[in-house]
Amino acid sequence: MDWLINFLTEFPQMSRQGLRDMKKMIDGSYREFSREYGEAIESFFDPLLWFLVKFEELLQITPWPVVILVVAGLAWWGARSWTIVIGSIVSFLLIGWFGMWEDTMSTLAIVSVSTFICIALGIPLGILMARSDRLQSMVTPVLDIMQTIPAFVYLIPVVMLLGIGKVPGLLSVCIYAIPPIVRLTNLGIRLVEKEALEAADAFGASYKQRLFGVQIPLALPNIFAGVNQTIMMALSMVVIASMIGVAGLGVPVLKSISNQYLALGMMNGLAIVVLAIIFDRVSQSFGLRLQKHRHGAQHD
Amino acid sequence: MTDIKIKIENLYKIFGPKPKSVLQRVKDGMSKQDLLEQHGHVLGLKDINIDIPAQGISVIMGLSGSGKSTLIRHINRLIEPTAGKMIVDGDDVLAMSKNKLIDFRRHKASMVFQKFGLHVHRTVAENVAYGLVVQGTPLKKAKEQSHKWLDRVGLAGFEEHYPSQLSGGMQQRVGLARALATDAEILLMDEAFSALDPLIRTDMQDVLLDLQEELHKTIVFITHDLDEALRIGDTIAILRDGAVIQQGDPQDIIMHPNDDYIVDFIQDINRGRVIRLRTLMSEGTAINGLALNQNMVLEEALPLVADTAEKACNVVDDANNILGSIDLNQVITGLARPKVETNPENRYR
């Protein structure tokens, strides 16, 4: 009887020794792998690093009035709204006035580059997923993992492989931020009305004509929601990424957590929020502007 | 009129995971019900053989679930067949390569849809130009054509509107203009007017008939509405449970329905508006009196015949050659619903 009670109350566990050996084995082989291929993989990302560094440098050396002008110009180009333009100018002036200019430029650089990467990879992947149910069923769980696994957990292998610095930071931001754009591109294309597609087929549209002429334009609301989400997630990841050496607004936030600097933390946190709002409004209204048919009087 | 443009031969369509595996059973006469219960496949079309004459309006009619929309989608192969041939101008559409099929869809056959199938992100003019743009027509020419056809369907001035800004009837005019703009010889119309309310539907039928008088397209028109079928169809094929149960001259179908299902169908039609004099006249017997066109419907002829002293009129063709005559009695009996003796045992239900 004793063994039965024991069996039921204590979970049958792997032996301590065995568990330790297993972990050691995994750690060891991964370490081996990173020693072996780490450099090669790092050099693979060199162009990316170069791009990021140059972009950041450019933002840093450009005189601040020029940067503000460019931001205002982009806001106008994207949104065509004076409120957003003036809002952006005032926010940037305040950020500079409170001494956060350089950090903001660094954050702007990494968010822009990672958003660009996410869009460049995510939209094509979403398109492919929409085309094939099998690919969808393979990619979806991966996206689920990427979205739910605590960011710290995948920071470990990334850091082991690439060390501390911009590239691993960029990579972890991308891992965190890419799922929404992939998901929403896939969803958007799958939700395109069957009738509109059938009409395209009936008139002899080729695959390309169908994709670029019908599917993508009609999926735009969802695709833009994805772009938007990706930007927001990239911005929120900036703080965590600063733990592995990404410069920017996350660094002072991290510092204020460990030192209980309320004001510093708040100011930098709010700067991130301001960036998020500007990105959000500009990208949203740009997306809306691309869909002219949604304006004007509707019948019925 | 007698040239055959589209020849549908032994066409079968079975929906399900392995249609080929049950094809032989269907050919051996297994019913739709048995196929579904025993094999989990749905019979879409069963041994369809229809000849569609060039330059006429051929109506395929049936109730929902009869397979008519499936059938029309085989003509431009939006649906892949299980077996059979679809010969258009000597070429089997169902055997075409991908590129040939795209070419066929671009130049040979265009389509109008029940739910319009317009592209909401394009303006009305861009929608009409769509088929041309897909063909690779230069934008300027496509635009000219699109304006021309919008004008023809009575939508001049709406070029820069978006479809969502138009009413259903106007949207379908856009759909029609889009299909006509490609200059395809074949026009496939899948319940094109079924989503419109009755007045607008009649209106659109008139638009179509007017255009057809001049364009002489080969039109395949799907409908569930017998009045519509009789109004515009030069020939009619009636579909039930995926099989053709009667096809031919509409007048012939009304006068000699060969199935209880069709008898039920024609119970409620307005005979005065669909039966034409040529159907009822006594051939060859000319009399002295008024001459009426052979295609006049009874409703119009009745007061005219009743007004004559002879209570009878001659029936003539378009060139005024006398074909026969008709008297008041014939007109009146033609209007009455024929008594049909049906054996309840044999009823299709």
Side-chain angles (χ1 to χ4, degrees):
Chain A
M1 270 321 269
D2 266 5
W3 70 266
L4 184 66
I5 292 169
N6 238 339
F7 178 78
L8 290 175
T9 49
E10 291 275 322
F11 201 96
Q13 207 177 10
M14 196 174 169
S15 77
R16 236 166 248 261
Q17 181 67 38
L19 201 59
R20 193 174 331 115
D21 287 348
M22 191 189 79
K23 290 182 199 157
K24 250 189 183 163
M25 206 260 296
I26 294 174
D27 287 358
S29 50
Y30 186 74
R31 206 165 286 137
E32 202 119 298
F33 167 80
S34 59
R35 245 183 242 130
E36 192 85 13
Y37 299 103
E39 240 164 89
I41 295 173
E42 230 180 302
S43 59
F44 172 77
F45 288 113
D46 270 353
L48 205 63
L49 180 65
W50 182 85
F51 182 49
L52 181 58
V53 168
K54 287 293 160 198
F55 190 54
E56 202 177 328
E57 249 171 40
L58 179 73
L59 282 177
Q60 300 283 14
I61 59 165
T62 312
W64 64 267
V66 179
V67 174
I68 291 187
L69 267 181
V70 171
V71 169
L74 283 176
W76 174 250
W77 175 73
R80 296 287 150 86
S81 142
W82 283 114
T83 334
I84 293 177
V85 172
I86 291 168
S88 316
I89 294 174
V90 171
S91 319
F92 269 74
L93 286 174
L94 283 176
I95 284 172
W97 182 248
F98 288 123
M100 298 180 289
W101 186 262
E102 278 178 28
D103 282 344
T104 304
M105 289 305 110
S106 301
T107 298
L108 209 55
I110 191 162
V111 169
S112 312
V113 172
S114 55
T115 305
F116 174 77
I117 293 169
C118 288
I119 291 175
L121 295 177
I123 291 184
L125 181 59
I127 290 170
L128 289 177
M129 265 172 87
R131 223 185 144 184
S132 140
D133 283 339
R134 182 183 291 185
L135 187 66
Q136 179 180 243
S137 64
M138 288 191 311
V139 173
T140 308
V142 176
L143 294 179
D144 291 341
I145 294 174
M146 284 162 80
Q147 276 187 303
T148 48
I149 200 167
F152 300 102
V153 175
Y154 61 77
L155 284 186
I156 305 166
V158 170
V159 170
M160 279 171 78
L161 194 63
L162 299 169
I164 279 180
K166 286 190 197 315
V167 170
L170 190 68
L171 218 57
S172 40
V173 172
C174 285
I175 293 174
Y176 186 69
I178 204 171
I181 180 79
V182 179
R183 267 185 214 280
L184 284 160
T185 303
N186 173 37
L187 181 75
I189 290 180
R190 281 174 186 265
L191 285 182
V192 168
E193 261 183 62
K194 222 186 93 249
E195 283 83 20
L197 280 180
E198 195 175 41
D201 284 340
F203 282 94
S206 62
Y207 175 72
K208 247 198 222 155
Q209 287 171 329
R210 195 177 131 109
L211 180 65
F212 293 109
V214 185
Q215 288 178 308
I216 292 183
L218 289 177
L220 270 187
N222 276 311
I223 294 178
F224 263 90
V227 170
N228 201 46
Q229 283 306 301
T230 290
I231 297 173
M232 296 303 116
M233 291 180 72
L235 270 167
S236 63
M237 187 63 188
V238 157
V239 176
I240 296 174
S242 66
M243 286 174 65
I244 55 168
V246 172
L249 292 166
V251 179
V253 171
L254 213 60
K255 197 159 60 179
S256 34
I257 292 174
S258 41
N259 295 306
Q260 302 184 358
Y261 294 152
L262 174 65
L264 182 70
M266 287 290 261
M267 267 165 33
N268 285 278
L270 285 176
I272 293 177
V273 172
V274 165
L275 280 187
I277 292 175
I278 295 174
F279 267 120
D280 176 69
R281 295 298 182 274
V282 172
S283 64
Q284 293 258 39
S285 29
F286 177 64
L288 213 60
R289 205 154 57 77
L290 280 184
Q291 304 157 46
K292 277 181 269 168
H293 63 281
R294 290 182 189 274
H295 304 300
Q298 300 280 312
H299 192 272
D300 292 336
Chain B
M1 271 298 287
T2 45
D3 281 356
I4 301 301
K5 184 82 176 172
I6 307 172
K7 198 169 173 61
I8 307 175
E9 280 178 8
N10 308 103
L11 186 72
Y12 285 86
K13 175 67 189 177
I14 300 162
F15 295 99
K18 281 181 179 170
K20 295 263 188 223
S21 68
V22 292
L23 179 60
Q24 195 52 47
R25 289 173 204 279
V26 173
K27 283 188 174 170
D28 293 341
M30 181 176 260
S31 77
K32 190 174 179 166
Q33 193 81 28
D34 288 346
L35 186 74
L36 184 61
E37 280 167 7
Q38 293 170 27
H39 300 280
H41 282 70
V42 175
L43 180 57
L45 295 173
K46 184 175 158 188
D47 198 15
I48 305 283
N49 290 284
I50 301 178
D51 288 345
I52 289 168
Q55 309 197 332
I57 302 184
S58 299
V59 174
I60 294 169
M61 77 156 295
L63 299 181
S64 49
S66 60
K68 55 192 190 305
S69 285
T70 309
L71 178 56
I72 199 172
R73 277 169 177 68
H74 277 87
I75 298 178
N76 60 357
R77 210 166 135 199
L78 287 175
I79 295 180
E80 292 290 331
T82 306
K85 284 183 177 165
M86 175 74 61
I87 315 279
V88 178
D89 288 338
D91 265 346
D92 185 3
V93 179
L94 305 183
M96 281 182 182
S97 68
K98 209 175 146 197
N99 286 334
K100 245 185 123 187
L101 179 64
I102 283 185
D103 210 51
F104 172 84
R105 288 172 177 171
R106 284 182 183 172
H107 299 284
K108 251 316 179 12
S110 58
M111 195 161 181
V112 184
F113 298 88
Q114 180 177 12
K115 290 179 187 157
F116 320 138
L118 298 180
H119 291 160
V120 296
H121 61 294
R122 295 176 204 279
T123 62
V124 165
E126 285 166 354
N127 263 293
V128 175
Y130 184 70
L132 294 167
V133 171
V134 166
Q135 286 176 359
T137 313
L139 272 180
K140 194 166 165 248
K141 200 181 160 220
K143 207 171 165 185
E144 278 171 24
Q145 286 290 314
S146 131
H147 284 234
K148 179 188 128 194
W149 284 106
L150 275 171
D151 198 32
R152 287 298 302 273
V153 298
L155 279 183
F158 286 92
E159 287 86 356
E160 299 312 314
H161 284 62
Y162 284 95
S164 58
Q165 297 167 307
L166 306 184
S167 69
M170 287 158 100
Q171 289 192 35
Q172 196 56 303
R173 282 171 194 251
V174 178
L176 186 59
R178 176 175 67 178
L180 292 172
T182 63
D183 266 334
E185 298 154 30
I186 300 170
L187 188 58
L188 306 172
M189 304 188 73
D190 177 29
E191 298 213 42
F193 305 149
S194 299
L196 308 175
D197 48 63
L199 274 180
I200 305 215
R201 192 183 312 169
T202 321
D203 214 35
M204 288 299 289
Q205 290 164 1
D206 289 337
V207 171
L208 182 67
L209 290 172
D210 278 354
L211 286 166
Q212 174 65 357
E213 213 153 276
E214 178 183 341
L215 301 172
H216 302 295
K217 303 247 177 203
T218 302
I219 300 179
V220 181
F221 194 101
I222 300 283
T223 181
H224 60 248
D225 177 355
L226 187 61
D227 283 311
E228 182 168 66
L230 294 170
R231 177 142 193 258
I232 65 173
D234 297 321
T235 63
I236 296 184
I238 298 182
L239 226 56
R240 186 179 117 215
D241 287 343
V244 176
I245 48 176
Q246 188 170 6
Q247 55 180 323
D249 183 350
Q251 299 290 311
D252 204 43
I253 292 178
I254 304 170
M255 301 315 287
H256 312 286
N258 67 4
D259 184 298
D260 287 341
Y261 182 74
I262 301 171
V263 172
D264 264 13
F265 249 141
I266 60 176
Q267 285 288 305
D268 299 324
I269 55 163
N270 184 340
R271 301 176 74 84
R273 276 194 201 155
V274 294
I275 299 179
R276 301 179 192 280
L277 294 185
R278 67 179 152 91
T279 315
L280 295 174
M281 69 182 183
S282 324
E283 261 171 74
T285 49
I287 51 157
N288 284 325
L290 198 61
L292 300 175
N293 187 282
Q294 57 163 344
N295 282 325
M296 185 177 272
V297 293
L298 296 186
E299 194 181 64
E300 285 172 39
L302 182 60
L304 299 174
V305 179
D307 252 10
T308 57
E310 304 85 11
K311 302 291 179 213
C313 290
N314 282 325
V315 178
V316 297
D317 64 11
D318 293 340
N320 267 330
N321 301 316
I322 293 181
L323 301 170
S325 66
I326 191 161
D327 65 23
L328 192 55
N329 251 338
Q330 282 171 304
V331 176
I332 293 173
T333 31
L335 284 173
R337 187 185 296 169
K339 275 227 171 81
V340 187
E341 294 295 325
T342 49
N343 181 352
E345 305 274 308
N346 287 345
R347 299 217 26 112
Y348 60 92
R349 288 204 190 91

